[in-house]
Amino acid sequence: MEVDSEENFRKVIQRNNCPASSFPSEASITKNFVDFIDTSKSLDHDPNVQAMQSSYYPNRGDIPSATELSESAILEALNALIKAVNTLTVDVRNQHQVIDRLRVLLENCNICNSASITTQPTCGTHPPQCFARVQCQDTPNGPRCGPCPYGFVGNGYECTAVRTCRDYPCFHDVQCRDTDHGYECGPCPAGYEGDGEHCAKRSGCEYSPCHPGQN
């Protein structure tokens, strides 16, 4: 249903054969509007509505209003602020002086100069060519090869196989000792003579124990 601009709403209803009872009277519309206004005014004194309004607009007691501050209080606060700013200014100036001194020390420090710092070689960065099964060892003078494995003699870079006490090189019942240069045999047992590796039984008459002329 369209409403023409030159005709009022009631004429439009009559033109479209709408029942008159479907449109409220002007008196009822006016009465409903007045009742709505009266109801809105009565809500201003409703405690529930006031509680809702106070939750949305809380009283900020932590922020004093301008009327509560006296002129002397404002001046005192400004003086305290100026004093704090002056203290911070002095601290910042002192920090600048300390930083300038540190900068001079770092610029004149030979140890801090990256060009003078040398990296000590290690077994991980400069491993030497050690003999098989010889471990590399880091020393104050740099990486070095460790001792030769058991059964070998040498400097760790070059090792030569030698006999050891495990090979039983010494004479029977002669004590054997392993050294960096190989094995060493102890003295021959009593009644024997030799180097410990080879021992021969000593003859009873070899040292002339008998009286001359007697066999």
Side-chain angles (χ1 to χ4, degrees):
M1 179 178 63
E2 298 180 356
V3 179
D4 298 333
S5 59
E6 68 274 5
E7 294 181 346
N8 59 27
F9 187 65
R10 189 175 298 279
K11 290 182 179 181
V12 174
I13 292 176
Q14 293 175 356
R15 185 181 63 187
N16 290 277
N17 297 322
C18 295
S21 59
S22 61
F23 182 75
S25 62
E26 294 181 1
S28 62
I29 294 175
T30 302
K31 183 177 182 303
N32 292 334
F33 179 76
V34 172
D35 293 341
F36 173 76
I37 296 300
D38 293 339
T39 303
S40 300
K41 291 181 179 180
S42 63
L43 293 177
D44 294 339
H45 304 286
D46 192 337
N48 295 325
V49 176
Q50 293 178 356
M52 294 176 61
Q53 291 178 350
S54 62
S55 62
Y56 286 105
Y57 305 99
N59 294 326
R60 294 297 302 273
D62 57 333
I63 302 178
S65 61
T67 57
E68 297 178 1
L69 296 177
S70 62
E71 183 177 354
S72 60
I74 295 175
L75 292 176
E76 183 178 356
L78 289 176
N79 290 331
L81 179 60
I82 294 173
K83 183 178 180 180
V85 171
N86 292 335
T87 302
L88 291 175
T89 302
V90 174
D91 292 340
V92 172
R93 186 181 299 111
N94 293 335
Q95 291 180 2
H96 277 299
Q97 294 177 357
V98 173
I99 293 174
D100 291 338
R101 293 175 184 174
L102 290 175
R103 184 182 295 108
V104 173
L105 291 176
L106 292 176
E107 291 176 352
N108 298 327
C109 179
N110 294 328
I111 299 178
C112 301
N113 188 2
S114 59
S116 62
I117 298 177
T118 57
T119 303
Q120 179 72 19
T122 62
C123 291
T125 59
H126 299 80
Q129 296 295 328
C130 299
F131 187 76
R133 294 182 296 167
V134 173
Q135 297 292 331
C136 177
Q137 298 177 352
D138 288 321
T139 67
N141 297 325
R144 295 290 185 270
C145 292
C148 293
Y150 183 79
F152 292 83
V153 293
N155 55 9
Y157 298 89
E158 296 179 356
C159 300
T160 304
V162 294
R163 297 180 67 187
T164 65
C165 292
R166 293 180 182 178
D167 299 323
Y168 302 103
C170 301
F171 188 75
H172 180 66
D173 292 337
V174 173
Q175 186 177 5
C176 181
R177 183 172 65 92
D178 286 318
T179 66
D180 294 337
H181 304 287
Y183 68 93
E184 287 184 358
C185 296
C188 293
Y192 290 82
E193 59 183 1
D195 57 3
E197 183 177 357
H198 302 90
C199 298
K201 191 172 183 180
R202 184 182 303 165
S203 174
C205 296
E206 184 176 353
Y207 294 96
S208 300
C210 301
H211 190 273
Q214 295 181 356
N215 292 330

